[in-house]
């Protein structure tokens, strides 16, 4: 039994493997429990292993690669077209085995444990920011019900809440207890966000790629570290447009019969990166009204005939292409440098 390619369907406890030989004949259909994974693949001769890019995929890719196997991660949406009929672990493993052998298949680069660690800090920070926003909205609404209205911003809201809590006669006893709990939670989460920001800033200071990206307008430390940790190999993209398309910032095509029809952005790829790249240009647009720069001129001309959000997405597309150039050329961002004749 000479196994050359294996499709591995990952799971929490029970895994499914489908193997073929050089001729494409099925020679392995095996169900593996978690404790059987390492002994089985350690005894197997080095081969090509296809895995869907899902939860725990990068861990298993690093583990199996350390045993001498060649591991390729495939986006789950690309595997779906190879599932013949029905839904089972065995059919999924067979589809993965078929998809990994296709010459035109696209694969996901395997992330290192350091990259996964910094991205975990990003996801934890994003979760805490959402929770703080929910708590702040609750405090703002409760204070408004009692006649206290705060200016925008977390700092102004906390200051108003502390003033309301200081006055013993301003709030009923039950309302005072509830607001104290909510304000305490807001302050605790704000401290945790600050600690994560310090971690990201420290990683940013040690990462040359992140420092170069942060020089691009609209790309702060958070966005720069997220891109540097996510895009492990910028050379996998042939152009800046392909990188922007990978982020879902290019129009989705509905073309047929020789007629090109472009719709809204595809919204494919990493939603977290795309959101950061759209939020940053939104801030750039608000501060570029009177600046005499080529980018500001481009923003003003496009804003005259297009809606605000469309212009911000178009600017995000432009900044994504600039980020790809900065990563691939490994040069500092120089926006207004004149080209030598």
């Amino acid at each position: 039994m000479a196994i050359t390619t294996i499709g591995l369907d990952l799971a929490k406890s029970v895994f499914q493997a489908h193997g073929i030989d050089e001729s494409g004949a099925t020679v392995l259909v095996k169900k593996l429990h978690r404790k059987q994974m390492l002994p089985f693949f350690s005894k197997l001769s080095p081969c090509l292993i296809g895995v869907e890019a899902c939860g725990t995929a990068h861990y298993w890719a690093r583990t199996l690669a350390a045993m001498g196997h060649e591991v390729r991660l495939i986006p789950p949406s690309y595997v779906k077209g190879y599932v013949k009929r029905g839904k089972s672990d065995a059919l999924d493993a067979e589809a993965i085995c078929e998809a990994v052998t296709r010459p035109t298949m696209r694969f996901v680069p395997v992330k290192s444990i350091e990259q996964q660690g910094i991205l975990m800090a990003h996801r934890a920070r994003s979760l805490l920011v959402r929770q703080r926003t929910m708590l702040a909205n609750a405090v703002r609404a409760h204070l408004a019900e009692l006649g206290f209205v705060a200016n925008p911003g977390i700092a102004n809201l906390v200051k108003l809440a502390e003033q309301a809590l200081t006055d013993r006669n301003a709030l009923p006893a039950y309302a005072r207890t509830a607001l104290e709990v909510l304000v305490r939670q807001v302050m605790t989460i704000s401290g945790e966000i600050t600690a994560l920001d310090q971690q990201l800033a420290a990683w940013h200071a040690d990462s040359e790629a992140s420092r170069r990206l942060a020089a691009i307008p609209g790309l702060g430390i958070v966005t720069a570290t997220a891109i540097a940790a996510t895009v492990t190999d910028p050379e996998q993209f042939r152009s800046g447009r392909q990188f922007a398309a990978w982020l879902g910032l290019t129009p989705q095509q509905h073309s047929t019969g020789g007629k090109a029809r472009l719709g809204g952005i595809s919204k494919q790829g990493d939603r977290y990166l795309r959101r950061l790249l759209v939020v940053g240009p939104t801030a750039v647009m608000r501060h570029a009204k009177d600046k005499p720069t080529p980018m500001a001129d481009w923003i003003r001309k496009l804003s005259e005939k297009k809606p605000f959000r469309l212009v911000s997405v178009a600017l995000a597309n432009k900044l994504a292409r600039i980020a790809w150039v900065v990563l691939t050329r490994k040069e500092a961002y120089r926006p207004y440098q004149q080209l030598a004749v």
Side-chain angles (χ1 to χ4, degrees), residues 114-129 191-211 214 220-230 272-273 275-276:
E114 179 188 3
Q115 291 168 326
Q116 284 191 294
I118 193 67
L119 290 177
M120 188 179 296
H122 272 278
R123 297 306 190 271
R125 181 185 182 277
S126 179
L127 174 62
L128 292 177
V129 169
E192 299 293 345
I193 293 174
T194 301
L196 289 174
D197 286 338
Q198 293 173 352
Q199 293 286 334
L200 295 179
W203 192 85
H204 168 77
D206 295 335
S207 174
E208 182 181 356
S210 181
R211 293 197 303 271
I221 293 179
V222 174
T223 307
T225 52
I227 294 176
T230 303
Y272 179 69
L273 278 184
R275 177 163 59 84
L276 291 178

Side-chain angles (χ1 to χ4, degrees), residues 286-305:
R286 291 173 178 169
H287 295 86
K289 295 181 180 179
D290 302 324
K291 291 185 178 180
T293 62
M295 183 175 290
D297 294 339
W298 179 83
I299 292 173
R300 285 192 291 268
K301 290 180 181 179
L302 193 59
S303 299
E304 293 175 357
K305 49 186 178 181

Side-chain angles (χ1 to χ4, degrees), residues 52 74-83 95 99 104-107 246 268:
E52 282 186 330
I74 313 173
S77 59
Y78 292 172
V79 176
K80 187 176 181 180
Y82 294 92
V83 179
T104 58
M105 182 56 61
R106 298 176 182 175
F107 301 103
W246 177 73
Q268 300 293 320

Side-chain angles (χ1 to χ4, degrees), residues 118-298:
I118 193 67
L119 290 177
M120 188 179 296
H122 272 278
R123 297 306 190 271
R125 181 185 182 277
S126 179
L127 174 62
L128 292 177
V129 169
R130 289 199 305 271
Q131 291 178 344
R132 185 179 64 177
T133 301
M134 295 169 62
L135 289 168
N137 289 339
V139 173
R140 190 181 301 277
H142 292 323
L143 288 175
E145 290 289 339
L146 299 175
F148 297 93
V149 179
N151 293 327
I154 296 292
N156 293 325
L157 178 62
V158 173
K159 185 183 299 183
L160 179 65
E162 290 176 349
Q163 292 176 356
L165 292 172
T166 302
D167 188 354
R168 291 293 179 180
N169 300 322
L171 300 174
Y174 294 111
R176 178 182 301 277
T177 302
L179 286 175
E180 286 177 349
V181 172
L182 292 177
V183 171
R184 189 162 56 246
Q185 290 294 322
V186 171
M187 299 301 294
T188 301
I189 292 180
S190 296
E192 299 293 345
I193 293 174
T194 301
L196 289 174
D197 286 338
Q198 293 173 352
Q199 293 286 334
L200 295 179
W203 192 85
H204 168 77
D206 295 335
S207 174
E208 182 181 356
S210 181
R211 293 197 303 271
R212 290 198 304 267
L213 289 171
I216 302 174
L219 271 63
I221 293 179
V222 174
T223 307
T225 52
I227 294 176
T230 303
V231 184
T232 56
D233 182 19
E235 299 291 343
Q236 64 180 310
F237 305 103
R238 294 192 301 270
S239 63
R241 188 187 187 283
Q242 191 180 59
F243 177 60
W246 177 73
L247 292 170
L249 292 171
T250 53
Q252 190 170 10
Q253 290 197 38
H254 300 278
S255 304
T256 183
K259 295 182 180 179
R261 297 177 181 176
L262 301 179
I265 58 175
S266 66
K267 295 185 179 180
Q268 300 293 320
D270 194 320
R271 288 184 292 177
Y272 179 69
L273 278 184
R274 184 170 59 254
R275 177 163 59 84
L276 291 178
L277 282 169
V278 172
V279 170
T282 301
V284 172
M285 290 175 59
R286 291 173 178 169
H287 295 86
K289 295 181 180 179
D290 302 324
K291 291 185 178 180
T293 62
M295 183 175 290
D297 294 339
W298 179 83

Side-chain angles (χ1 to χ4, degrees), residues 316-328:
N317 185 309
K318 179 185 287 289
L319 296 183
R321 299 186 186 204
I322 295 174
W324 178 81
V325 173
V326 169
L327 289 175
T328 52

Side-chain angles (χ1 to χ4, degrees), residues 1 3 6 30 35-47 64 67-69:
M1 184 176 61
I3 301 175
I6 291 180
K30 188 175 182 63
K35 62 181 180 180
Q36 297 175 318
M37 285 285 290
L38 296 181
F40 176 79
F41 283 101
S42 62
K43 298 177 183 179
L44 200 64
S45 300
C47 61
L64 296 176
M67 299 178 182
H69 301 290

